Amino acid sequence: MTQWRLHLLVGTGLVLAYPFLPGTSADVAYLLVGVLSVAALVVGALALTPAARPPWYLLAAGQAAFVAGDAVWTWLDLAGLSPFPSAADVLYLAGYPLLAAGMLVLLRRRRHVADVAGVVDGAIVTLALGLLVWVVLAAPTLRGDGTLLERAVAAAYPAGDVLLVAILAQFLLGSGGRTVAFRLLVTGLGLLLVADAGFAVVESASGYEGGAFDLLWLASYVVVGTAGLHPSAAGLGVPATAVAPYSTRRLLALGFAVLVAPLTLVVQLTLGVPLDAWAVAVASTALFGLVVARMDLAIRAIRASSEQRDRLRENLAHLAAHDALTGLANRSRMVAEIRSALHRACRSGSPVGLLFVDLDHFKDVNDTYGHAAGDEVLRVTAGRLQDVVRAGDTVGRIGGDEFVVLVEHPESEEGLVALARRVVDAVGEPVRVGEHATTVGASVGVALARDGSTDPDRLLHEADAAAYRAKSGGRGRAEVFDEALSRELVERGRLESALRAGIAAGELVLHYQPILDTGSGEVAGYEALVRWDRPGHGLVAPADFIPVAERSTLVCDVGRWVLAEATAQLVRWTAEGRGEHLTVSVNLSGRHVAQPGVVTDVADALAASGLAPHRLALEITETVVVDVLEIEEALRALRDLGVRISIDDFGTGYTSIHQLQHLAVDTLKIDRSLVEATTPGVLALVGLVVQAAHAFDLTVVAEGVEEPEQLERLRALGCDSVQGFLFARPEPAGLVADDGPLEPWVTEPRVG
């Protein structure tokens, strides 16, 4: 059993037994309850940190003064003496300020936040109860019989109670947590005050001979001691984090307190007793002043709350319309600004210009120095853009590394181009990132609405298209959206619509090119290459329609179709008797791999065709594997399905050989540009790539093999597989040769 429960149990037992004990035993039990209370407070304080002990030591001292007073009073009573005042009164009266001091220390520690309203509320309650104590106890005592000392000592008791009432009122109405120790301490001191008040009334009326009030004093000892032992006592002096709320109970308490003064006069007039006019008048005046002060505080709190709400609303509106990193207008705000500018342009007939700024090589900064450095580059770029543009122009950030500049009333298209060039120059200045200096560039697209007769999305699209052409044309330059680009966009839109309809109409076809084992010449698998049999145009090569599909999720539709058709075709070939060792390779775009559903697409294709996962290879370009960090998790999930991952066009990106050990891939496919090269340096590089790939348990495929000499070199370097026109061109499934050796092994065998 815990200490506080044991103390509460023993103390309660003694209190219940007290009325049934004979004289001396009752006195001993009374003193024992008090001593246990003091001991409990001391033991509880010792369990706390040294800084938290002082208020509990003061409470223990106050209880000890009461216990000492009980002991002296008992000794005098047993001796047949009953002097008043006596040493017992001195000890009793000393207990009140000690208890009040302990409570005051706790109160001050709990008030970490300013709670002026709580202080005023406590003062209102204290003043009202003080008036009652004066009218009922103190004033009659001071007007009664006896010497001045006797009357002063008798009046000192209610004064001590008023002191405790004042502290308790602040304690109850102030801020801070209402823990178990809090409730026990307040209850214990409340029992003491009730017992004191009841004793004073009975004593002044007919003399007190013992009874219920003794039990209340004893219960006060027990409950206060239990508060000191309870574990939550450690948190009683913890500073509050918020002001206590203005509850209904507080409102009722304050309302009753304000009515005490007039009700006192009503009761005195009704009973015909002497009026305490001056006391009531002073208390009423003070209460009126406190109520006015409380109203003023309430009005200020309401005003402050309203102002805070307005500031919060403004902040939320600002956050909703601005980029948190740079402080610039975000995409939604910029669209609204462009729309407003176009509306004004419709009325005035003036042009509106838009610059689309796409940063060059920004990803290199993140990869080299980290995302914190990238954030700093974006902040610096935002500042430079604001410095370059005119005072009335609006700068926004609409994407990761994409900015726009809205220019109203531009002087001319030439002026917009000049501004775009200044933007390119400003952004291209080195940026200091920690101890390093880094540089990014800018590709800028310029679009002009001459009379506002367009919509924001179209103007953004035109500027974006111009920026795309600037980036494709070499980066670090500005391009203007013109008629040629407009026609290109229209044609691209038509092509995309036709492709979308072509997919639905079944116009896509697959051609297959064999991949051969370099040593044996046996066909190891086939690469599935998509073609579009477009009505009226003939067979369209992927280079003519895949880039258009790449600019939207349409490329994912193409990828899903190729996956389903290629896996099903390999299953059909297997059923026709071709080797079960054959694999099929399918190209997946970076956009498709980055989609959340890519793993599901591959799994669905395998399930629908019944192809074993290890017979499917997914080819992904090197630049996608290296540049799109988000696909790493997707690649690992795909490998978990059992499919193989191949890096296509290896040698065209920036993958270092050291990175190979960290990539979730199985095969490297060397780009044709390295296969075609004949310089010693490139040949040595190919050999190094093959050796490194084998060191990391990767296989190597060389594509674009068109000359016997290329095959001979690749075999000598240890390349595992080859593919190219030297052996076969991509053909429809019905024309693909079987899986035996192909030329030139049959006619021109070579030994590597």
Side-chain angles (χ1 to χ4, degrees):
M1 183 178 292
T2 56
Q3 289 181 327
W4 71 272
R5 286 191 175 91
L6 180 61
H7 176 267
L8 182 61
L9 181 63
V10 172
T12 302
L14 290 173
V15 172
L16 295 176
Y18 175 78
F20 307 103
L21 296 175
T24 303
S25 298
D27 293 335
V28 172
Y30 198 102
L31 293 173
L32 180 59
V33 171
V35 170
L36 287 175
S37 174
V38 175
L41 290 170
V42 173
V43 171
L46 291 174
L48 304 175
T49 60
R53 293 173 185 170
W56 295 100
Y57 283 150
L58 288 170
L59 292 172
Q63 294 287 74
F66 286 158
V67 174
D70 292 335
V72 171
W73 184 88
T74 300
W75 178 76
L76 290 173
D77 185 59
L78 291 175
L81 303 174
S82 56
F84 182 79
S86 67
D89 295 299
V90 175
L91 293 169
Y92 284 141
L93 292 174
Y96 290 99
L98 289 171
L99 289 177
M103 295 292 291
L104 186 61
V105 173
L106 284 176
L107 181 64
R108 294 188 64 181
R109 291 187 176 184
R110 289 165 63 83
R111 279 185 177 161
H112 177 68
V113 295
D115 190 9
V116 180
V119 173
V120 174
D121 292 346
I124 291 173
V125 174
T126 301
L127 186 58
L129 294 178
L131 176 61
L132 285 178
V133 171
W134 171 264
V135 172
V136 177
L137 301 176
T141 299
L142 291 174
R143 289 195 295 264
D145 298 330
T147 65
L148 179 61
L149 178 60
E150 291 174 345
R151 286 181 288 159
V153 170
Y157 281 97
D161 288 331
V162 170
L163 178 62
L164 281 182
V165 165
I167 303 296
L168 274 179
Q170 297 291 337
F171 211 63
L172 283 167
L173 297 174
S175 52
R178 267 56 173 169
T179 62
V180 175
F182 173 92
R183 293 184 175 89
L184 288 171
L185 186 57
V186 170
T187 301
L189 294 180
L191 291 172
L192 170 65
L193 294 174
V194 172
D196 284 354
F199 170 80
V201 172
V202 174
E203 177 68 19
S204 63
S206 58
Y208 183 68
E209 298 296 336
F213 299 119
D214 290 337
L215 295 177
L216 291 178
W217 278 314
L218 287 172
S220 173
Y221 279 139
V222 173
V223 176
V224 172
T226 304
L229 281 177
H230 196 274
S232 62
L236 202 57
V238 174
T241 58
V243 175
Y246 193 78
S247 62
T248 303
R249 286 182 295 179
R250 177 181 290 212
L251 178 62
L252 293 174
L254 294 177
F256 173 77
V258 172
L259 293 175
V260 165
L263 288 176
T264 299
L265 284 179
V266 171
V267 171
Q268 288 182 331
L269 288 171
T270 303
L271 298 177
V273 299
L275 298 176
D276 290 285
W278 281 107
V280 172
V282 171
S284 297
T285 303
L287 284 170
F288 177 78
L290 289 172
V291 169
V292 171
R294 187 64 179 86
M295 291 174 62
D296 179 65
L297 290 172
I299 293 172
R300 292 186 181 184
I302 293 172
R303 185 182 298 118
S305 177
S306 177
E307 293 173 353
Q308 183 181 20
R309 186 168 56 252
D310 291 342
R311 287 194 300 270
L312 181 60
R313 187 183 297 111
E314 292 173 359
N315 290 338
L316 289 175
H318 180 82
L319 290 174
H322 290 79
D323 172 50
L325 178 64
T326 62
L328 299 178
N330 60 18
R331 185 180 188 89
S332 61
R333 177 63 180 273
M334 282 306 303
V335 170
E337 291 286 343
I338 296 170
R339 180 176 290 107
S340 298
L342 291 172
H343 286 166
R344 289 190 290 271
C346 281
R347 293 194 298 268
S348 64
S350 59
V352 173
L354 190 69
L355 272 58
F356 193 104
V357 184
D358 191 350
L359 299 188
D360 301 328
H361 310 299
F362 175 71
K363 183 185 177 300
D364 295 342
V365 177
N366 281 334
D367 292 345
T368 305
Y369 303 111
H371 288 279
D375 290 345
E376 179 61 21
V377 168
L378 291 174
R379 282 190 288 265
V380 171
T381 299
R384 290 177 178 177
L385 291 175
Q386 290 176 307
D387 292 339
V388 169
V389 302
R390 304 176 308 178
D393 299 337
T394 305
V395 181
R397 179 185 175 213
I398 63 170
D401 59 352
E402 297 172 340
F403 299 82
V404 294
V405 179
L406 174 63
V407 182
E408 293 193 60
H409 309 294
E411 296 177 358
S412 62
E413 184 178 293
E414 291 74 15
L416 283 175
V417 174
L419 174 60
R421 289 171 180 162
R422 291 197 299 273
V423 166
V424 171
D425 293 339
V427 174
E429 292 292 326
V431 179
R432 193 74 185 173
V433 178
E435 299 178 355
H436 307 281
T438 186
T439 303
V440 296
S443 297
V444 182
V446 179
L448 181 67
R450 300 190 181 279
D451 57 1
S453 57
T454 186
D455 59 81
D457 291 333
R458 179 173 180 80
L459 190 61
L460 267 171
H461 182 59
E462 292 176 353
D464 184 13
Y468 182 80
R469 186 166 68 177
K471 189 177 287 285
S472 302
R475 305 187 180 189
R477 53 203 298 269
E479 285 283 353
V480 178
F481 184 85
D482 53 17
E483 288 299 323
L485 188 52
S486 177
R487 288 193 297 270
E488 182 181 329
L489 287 180
V490 171
E491 179 58 31
R492 185 186 302 160
R494 290 173 179 169
L495 185 63
E496 182 176 334
S497 298
L499 178 58
R500 193 179 304 276
I503 295 174
E507 296 171 2
L508 296 183
V509 295
L510 285 183
H511 287 191
Y512 296 88
Q513 187 176 36
I515 301 172
L516 289 80
D517 180 87
T518 309
S520 66
E522 296 281 341
V523 175
Y526 298 92
E527 180 180 2
L529 300 168
V530 66
R531 304 287 190 265
W532 179 16
D533 190 6
R534 186 180 181 186
H537 295 77
L539 208 60
V540 181
D544 294 329
F545 67 89
I546 290 297
V548 174
E550 284 275 8
R551 296 180 67 87
S552 69
T553 57
L554 188 60
V555 75
C556 301
D557 298 332
V558 174
R560 279 188 286 269
W561 182 88
V562 173
L563 280 169
E565 179 61 25
T567 54
Q569 181 59 58
L570 187 57
V571 170
R572 287 194 291 270
W573 278 336
T574 303
E576 294 170 1
R578 298 199 184 189
E580 294 187 358
H581 67 283
L582 293 178
T583 63
V584 65
S585 299
V586 172
N587 292 278
L588 285 187
S589 75
R591 180 184 286 272
H592 193 178
V593 179
Q595 293 292 317
V598 66
V599 179
T600 302
D601 292 342
V602 174
D604 289 347
L606 291 171
S609 64
L611 184 68
H614 71 275
R615 301 183 65 188
L616 173 63
L618 301 177
E619 295 191 5
I620 303 166
T621 60
E622 177 191 4
T623 52
V624 171
V625 173
V626 175
D627 290 348
V628 186
L629 298 179
E630 294 79 1
I631 75 167
E632 182 176 350
E633 184 177 347
L635 294 182
R636 297 189 184 280
L638 290 169
R639 291 188 78 196
D640 289 342
L641 287 179
V643 303
R644 299 178 62 81
I645 305 297
S646 175
I647 299 182
D648 197 14
D649 301 332
F650 189 83
T652 60
Y654 304 95
T655 307
S656 69
I657 292 177
H658 176 72
Q659 286 178 281
L660 295 178
Q661 62 180 318
H662 303 298
L663 297 177
V665 298
D666 304 283
T667 303
L668 296 186
K669 201 166 189 181
I670 299 176
D671 186 68
R672 67 174 59 246
S673 62
L674 297 181
V675 173
E676 294 170 351
T678 57
T679 58
V682 175
L683 294 178
L685 176 61
V686 173
L688 181 61
V689 168
V690 172
Q691 293 176 22
H694 289 166
F696 298 128
D697 294 325
L698 305 179
T699 59
V700 181
V701 178
E703 64 179 346
V705 180
E706 299 183 1
E707 301 293 337
E709 292 77 12
Q710 295 172 355
L711 172 61
E712 186 174 352
R713 286 196 299 267
L714 292 168
R715 293 170 69 180
L717 292 173
C719 185
D720 300 293
S721 303
V722 289
Q723 173 185 356
F725 289 174
L726 180 62
F727 319 107
R729 293 178 178 273
E731 298 284 358
L735 300 179
V736 172
D738 61 22
D739 53 340
L742 301 179
E743 295 289 348
W745 276 271
V746 175
T747 59
E748 300 179 45
R750 282 176 168 78
V751 179

